[in-house]
Amino acid sequence: MNWDYFMTILAQITDLHLRPRGLTCYRVSDTNNLAERAIRALLALSPRPDAVVVTGDITDGADAREYALARHILGRLPMPVYVLPGNHDSSDTLRAAFSDYPGIRDAPTASGKLHYTADVGGLRLVALDSSVAGKPFGLLGAEQLAWLDRVLAEDDRPAVVAVHHPPMATGIQHMDSIALHDTDAFAAVLSRHAHVERLICGHVHRPIVAGFAGTVMTLAPSTAHQLVLDFDDKAPVDFNFEPPAYFLHCHLPGSGLVSHLAYVENFPGPYPFWADEGVRWPGE
Ligand SMILES: [Fe+2]
Ligand SMILES: [Fe+2]
């Protein structure tokens, strides 16, 4: 089999939860510094991703100072950066802060739900807005879903749909109560378009994979703190410092979208695979 390595790489970081400069998040999570480290990890990649998508909760408090810092940190990336809001964001404040960013610059709506499409190499990115002002759960709404149906119908290139809230229960019950609410209507639209290769989400601060509406949903961990994995119905809403990570969604013609979870931190190694004394490898 000869594989075609003309690859498009879409990096996904999520749930930065930035605070005004100098402040930490929830007392102990230095989200600003951790976001900087994630950006440094992306900058060290070779080849560099074609684009970066940030799937919401960019700030913790939707404060204009937090968005100014987000611009400063994300502005170090030389490739196009696509941002979309999470429940900790404000669609309007985010739209104003990133009005010159690709996608947002040409978004079809000037207020309300912030959604847009963008070309990323061989992929079409469709960014959605599931945030609801003042609420932790997600909602796409009939208008946005009608737009999604339209843009997916007019272009059959491989599509990646990005939305902050996952549309299914994950088993972490306190998060399931604040997942996407209009799941059935969303599934009805996606199931009509077989070229949706992937749905990418954030919100749960854990790596999660699930099937949804004829496609695959991958949920990325946060660049900062992660949620404790606890399926107990009385699980406290706690976080920990499991390793921050991000996804590299690689589109390979003939294979489709192949996603690699990559860590922000460096770990021991690399070590070469030298054979031990007296050991023969297959084929030697
Ligand atoms: Fe979050
Ligand atoms: Fe969230």
Side-chain angles (χ1 to χ4, degrees):
M1 184 78 183
N2 287 321
W3 301 110
D4 182 349
Y5 283 102
F6 184 74
M7 181 162 47
T8 297
I9 306 175
L10 173 64
Q12 179 197 4
I13 57 174
T14 197
D15 292 83
L16 281 57
H17 287 265
L18 298 176
R19 297 288 287 125
R21 204 181 283 271
L23 296 183
T24 54
C25 194
Y26 317 134
R27 302 175 314 284
V28 293
S29 187
D30 188 2
T31 50
N32 298 349
N33 188 39
L34 289 163
E36 291 269 11
R37 289 177 64 182
I39 298 304
R40 236 176 283 158
L42 293 178
L43 287 171
L45 292 171
S46 178
R48 281 191 171 161
D50 295 277
V52 176
V53 59
V54 192
T55 44
D57 285 359
I58 292 163
T59 67
D60 193 63
D63 184 300
R65 291 170 300 168
E66 295 170 341
Y67 286 113
L69 184 63
R71 269 193 76 102
H72 178 75
I73 292 174
L74 296 172
R76 293 175 55 207
L77 292 167
M79 67 288 280
V81 177
Y82 299 99
V83 293
L84 55 106
N87 52 299
H88 282 261
D89 293 303
S90 149
S91 300
D92 289 342
T93 315
L94 185 150
R95 188 197 304 265
F98 291 95
S99 59
D100 57 337
Y101 265 49
I104 293 183
R105 203 168 43 208
D106 306 311
T109 55
S111 62
K113 293 283 192 189
L114 173 62
H115 49 76
Y116 55 86
T117 65
D119 294 338
V120 180
L123 290 170
R124 192 167 187 232
L125 174 67
V126 184
L128 300 178
D129 180 352
S130 57
S131 70
V132 181
K135 303 287 183 197
F137 62 82
L139 197 73
L140 292 166
E143 237 172 86
Q144 183 172 212
L145 285 171
W147 172 84
L148 175 65
D149 204 14
R150 237 179 9 255
V151 297
L152 289 175
E154 73 193 13
D155 193 318
D156 63 0
R157 279 175 296 169
V160 174
V161 175
V163 64
H164 181 69
H165 294 80
M168 75 284 289
T170 62
I172 301 173
Q173 298 185 35
H174 59 82
M175 290 306 287
D176 293 342
S177 63
I178 57 167
L180 192 76
H181 276 194
D182 45 358
T183 291
D184 292 346
F186 189 30
V189 173
L190 290 190
S191 59
R192 280 197 282 277
H193 304 285
H195 59 293
V196 176
E197 292 224 10
R198 186 67 58 78
L199 173 65
I200 60 173
C201 300
H203 191 51
V204 187
H205 293 228
R206 297 205 60 80
I208 299 171
V209 181
F212 180 71
T215 190
V216 173
M217 190 264 344
T218 46
L219 196 153
S222 168
T223 57
H225 46 276
Q226 316 303 336
L227 279 192
V228 172
L229 179 59
D230 190 340
F231 298 135
D232 195 290
D233 61 353
K234 294 178 195 63
V237 185
D238 286 344
F239 62 91
N240 62 23
F241 289 106
E242 288 175 22
Y246 57 94
F247 265 112
L248 294 173
H249 303 294
C250 305
H251 186 256
L252 291 129
S255 293
L257 203 67
V258 177
S259 296
H260 295 260
L261 185 76
Y263 295 100
V264 170
E265 291 172 34
N266 291 319
F267 293 91
Y271 304 104
F273 281 101
W274 285 334
D276 292 328
E277 194 65 40
V279 173
R280 282 173 66 88
W281 283 349
E284 274 191 330

